[in-house]
Amino acid sequence: MASQHPIIEYTSQASWAMIEDKFSPYAKETLAKLIKFYEEEILPARKLAHAQLPTDEVQRWKTVIPVIEELKVKAKKLGLWNLFLSKAHYPEHGVPLTNLEYAVMAELLGRAGHMASEVVNCSAPDTGNMEVLAKYGSPEQQKKWLIPLLNGEIRSAFAMTERHVASSDATNIRTSIRREGDEIVINGRKWWISGTGDPRTKLYIVMGKSDPDNKSSYNQQSVVLVPTDTPGITIVRPMKVFGYDDAPEGHCEIIYENVRVPLGNLVLGWGRGFEIIQGRLGRVKFFLVEQRLIFFRRPGRIHHCMRAIGAASEALDTMLRRVTDPSRKTFGKYLHEHGAVIAEIAKSRAEIEGARMLVLSAALQIDKYQAKGALKEIGIAKFVVPSMALTVVDRAIQAFGAEGVCQDQELAKTWVGLRILRIADGPDAVHIQQVGQRELKRVPGLVKKAAELAKREKALFAKAGIKRARL
Ligand SMILES: Cc1cc2nc3c(=O)[nH]c(=O)nc-3n(C[C@H](O)[C@H](O)[C@H](O)COP(=O)(O)OP(=O)(O)OC[C@H]3O[C@@H](n4cnc5c(N)ncnc54)[C@H](O)[C@@H]3O)c2cc1C
């Protein structure tokens, strides 16, 4: 029997029983501390954080939300900081937690939206950027950018996607990155660059083409560190997500026009950009490049999936409170007395439990075998979990009627946050394709097994003296 850890209230006895023995005493203690911090500090501050973001079109992009900064100080003091960065993968900068242990913590944080992750310095896009710098940054790059990011002093953005380019295939990226003497010159137009609006964002990690004529389309790209105050950068506009601007971070369109940075700002080396970007997105692959098998050995990130389980769980809890509200009766019954409503609740619970298992198993695989041994699990989680969570949130919205789609409830914003995952965390069509292709690779083995079985069956029939099978 699993111990009575407070996490059971947020996940389930069964899932805790499956993973408890894989948690270190430190992880159990940190998780308990996180739950207390979540209940006593993060949750009560959520509405205040919203209220502290000005509605003024200009001011909302210049604001650092005070209560978030106050909570960051408290979280750091408690050791609830950079929980995502596993020491096993990042020995120098990481914390002694596994991906599996973090998965449970991220699920809890996912219940309280973007703010909760930021408070413990575990929010996108900084997490992926810190991983890039921790893995590939030079000592100077790490000192200048990684350390302030790890300390939560600055924020960062990752600039890959381009307006006129199908960017889910990173080989299409056109932004030009070229060397001129001791400098790198960047020209291009990016959009949907998350974090651009935040006044604390001091760094763009920019991906572009440095060698468009290279015969390998995977060696044409490079990644460069660009301070946000470099001349030649124009922020054109924040993009709106179903009408939300997501200020103060935002997702902006940016022009880089003759932007010059020192040669030392190149990450990893010329032509290594694709390697960096694939690892960052968790779409880890093998490529045959000039007869060399290149394997991108990086822990694939499934943080969005982990948080999406939490968002779905929170939506179900919200729905339960609504349908049992004694003041709401329709057609002579309370909402929860309608069979259709109970069915929606049961389906939601079942789907959350199933999806959590996918996420936990993917996290465990990453811990054991790195991303290399977890490609299937990562891919499946990335296309199953956001859709599952969307369905659950949609049911909760339905239970709230008109109130579910308006600003009085978190549900509409939660739905939007999940909907974008089906595009922004690598379009799910791409993950589906990759998982499908991996399945097809099993066919020769399956055919061989079927042939062996047919042989054994035939021998059995011969022995029994029966000519034809009857089914
Ligand atoms: C809110 C938000 C935040 C974002 N933040 C960032 C950021 O910080 N930095 C950044 O660089 N980008 C960011 N993006 C952009 C995001 O990464 C891209 O939108 C995504 O990679 C898809 O690229 P695209 O929009 O050019 O779509 P396209 O490449 O044009 O693809 C369109 C659609 O085609 C389909 N498709 C593509 N390939 C396949 C396939 N193999 N099989 C079947 N169907 C396929 C998919 O359904 C896909 O959605 C963000 C996007 C959003 C919405």
Side-chain angles (χ1 to χ4, degrees):
M1 169 113 181
S3 70
Q4 287 305 309
H5 194 283
I7 193 61
I8 290 168
E9 224 182 285
Y10 291 100
T11 57
S12 68
Q13 184 89 44
S15 56
W16 181 240
M18 282 185 69
I19 58 174
E20 186 189 359
D21 63 349
K22 296 176 180 61
F23 267 57
S24 71
Y26 171 78
K28 279 185 196 170
E29 196 190 311
T30 306
L31 179 59
K33 233 193 277 180
L34 183 68
I35 293 168
K36 191 166 181 313
F37 188 65
Y38 168 84
E39 290 175 346
E40 293 178 5
E41 302 279 356
I42 298 178
L43 275 187
R46 283 190 79 198
K47 287 189 178 152
L48 176 61
H50 280 298
Q52 286 180 335
L53 181 68
T55 49
D56 178 85
E57 282 294 327
V58 177
Q59 284 311 315
R60 60 198 273 107
W61 297 103
K62 293 185 175 167
T63 301
V64 176
I65 296 172
V67 70
I68 294 186
E69 293 304 300
E70 285 160 27
L71 288 180
K72 276 166 68 178
V73 174
K74 289 185 184 175
K76 211 192 252 186
K77 263 195 198 148
L78 288 167
L80 300 172
W81 197 252
N82 294 333
L83 306 168
F84 71 98
L85 200 66
S86 173
K87 213 172 187 52
H89 296 297
Y90 303 96
E92 199 181 336
H93 302 286
V95 297
L97 291 171
T98 62
N99 279 284
L100 180 73
E101 290 160 348
Y102 177 60
V104 179
M105 298 177 192
E107 175 180 335
L108 180 75
L109 295 169
R111 284 176 163 261
H114 193 65
M115 171 213 173
S117 297
E118 188 183 341
V119 160
V120 292
N121 214 35
C122 290
S123 59
D126 295 321
T127 43
N129 296 341
M130 287 188 260
E131 286 179 1
V132 164
L133 290 164
K135 186 78 180 174
Y136 300 123
S138 66
E140 297 75 41
Q141 290 169 350
Q142 291 188 347
K143 193 171 162 213
K144 189 159 184 194
W145 302 113
L146 176 62
I147 302 303
L149 278 167
L150 287 170
N151 289 339
E153 292 155 8
I154 63 167
R155 300 208 64 191
S156 59
F158 194 87
M160 180 196 73
T161 302
E162 296 177 6
R163 181 157 176 205
H164 301 294
V165 170
S167 302
S168 52
D169 179 351
T171 61
N172 290 332
I173 295 306
R174 287 189 200 144
T175 289
S176 149
I177 291 183
R178 64 184 164 80
R179 181 177 176 166
E180 227 181 80
D182 284 347
E183 288 185 322
I184 298 170
V185 185
I186 302 154
N187 280 286
R189 190 185 192 106
K190 302 284 186 183
W191 76 340
W192 288 102
I193 308 309
S194 301
T196 312
D198 194 309
R200 294 162 299 176
T201 296
K202 302 294 175 212
L203 173 69
Y204 295 123
I205 301 183
V206 180
M207 190 209 189
K209 267 207 175 146
S210 49
D211 186 7
D213 299 325
N214 193 303
K215 59 180 189 270
S216 160
S217 52
Y218 303 114
N219 289 149
Q220 296 175 351
Q221 303 79 7
S222 295
V223 163
V224 178
L225 304 180
V226 180
T228 50
D229 58 0
T230 313
I233 299 174
T234 308
I235 297 176
V236 180
R237 57 175 174 158
M239 308 309 301
K240 288 200 174 171
V241 186
F242 293 97
Y244 292 100
D245 63 7
D246 287 352
E249 292 96 350
H251 320 278
C252 298
E253 184 170 355
I254 307 175
I255 297 173
Y256 296 90
E257 198 175 1
N258 289 322
V259 171
R260 289 172 179 270
V261 294
L263 211 50
N265 286 24
L266 180 72
V267 183
L268 194 60
W270 290 107
R272 307 287 298 271
F274 205 85
E275 184 177 342
I276 296 169
I277 180 78
Q278 285 293 321
R280 190 183 180 282
L281 287 174
R283 273 187 260 144
V284 189
K285 275 190 170 183
F286 297 93
F287 289 108
L288 199 57
V289 181
E290 291 165 356
Q291 306 311 311
R292 281 186 305 138
L293 191 65
I294 303 285
F295 162 56
F296 298 128
R297 188 182 282 277
R298 299 260 294 113
R301 216 157 2 89
I302 48 168
H303 300 173
H304 288 307
C305 293
M306 297 167 175
R307 288 190 288 259
I309 303 285
S313 298
E314 181 62 25
L316 176 56
D317 289 0
T318 308
M319 179 179 178
L320 286 170
R321 285 192 292 268
R322 173 69 169 207
V323 301
T324 51
D325 179 344
S327 70
R328 306 194 80 88
K329 232 178 182 182
T330 60
F331 305 100
K333 287 180 179 176
Y334 294 111
L335 288 183
H336 71 273
E337 290 173 333
H338 292 291
V341 172
I342 293 179
E344 299 282 69
I345 290 167
K347 280 190 273 181
S348 298
R349 171 52 61 210
E351 286 159 16
I352 291 168
E353 297 299 315
R356 180 186 294 119
M357 287 301 153
L358 283 180
V359 171
L360 296 178
S361 77
L364 189 59
Q365 283 288 107
I366 295 170
D367 285 330
K368 283 194 157 178
Y369 308 110
Q370 299 227 4
K372 174 191 173 191
L375 294 181
K376 186 178 74 181
E377 289 75 13
I378 293 171
I380 294 174
K382 283 203 176 205
F383 74 79
V384 170
V385 175
S387 291
M388 176 288 297
L390 275 170
T391 305
V392 171
V393 174
D394 190 68
R395 289 179 188 137
I397 287 175
Q398 193 69 18
F400 271 81
E403 193 181 334
V405 297
C406 79
Q407 70 272 34
D408 287 356
Q409 292 294 331
E410 285 280 337
L411 290 166
K413 182 104 169 74
T414 305
W415 188 90
V416 168
L418 291 165
R419 182 61 187 83
I420 59 153
L421 288 188
R422 295 191 49 212
I423 298 169
D425 200 20
D428 54 7
V430 176
H431 298 302
I432 287 171
Q433 193 195 26
Q434 288 175 353
V435 169
Q437 281 169 347
R438 287 181 67 81
E439 282 302 292
L440 288 170
K441 284 191 188 135
R442 295 174 49 229
V443 169
L446 293 174
V447 170
K448 197 171 157 212
K449 277 209 152 171
E452 283 165 8
L453 177 65
K455 230 162 116 186
R456 287 205 184 96
E457 283 172 346
K458 204 173 161 195
L460 275 181
F461 272 91
K463 200 173 162 196
I466 299 172
K467 280 203 175 132
R468 246 200 272 143
R470 274 193 306 259
L471 290 177

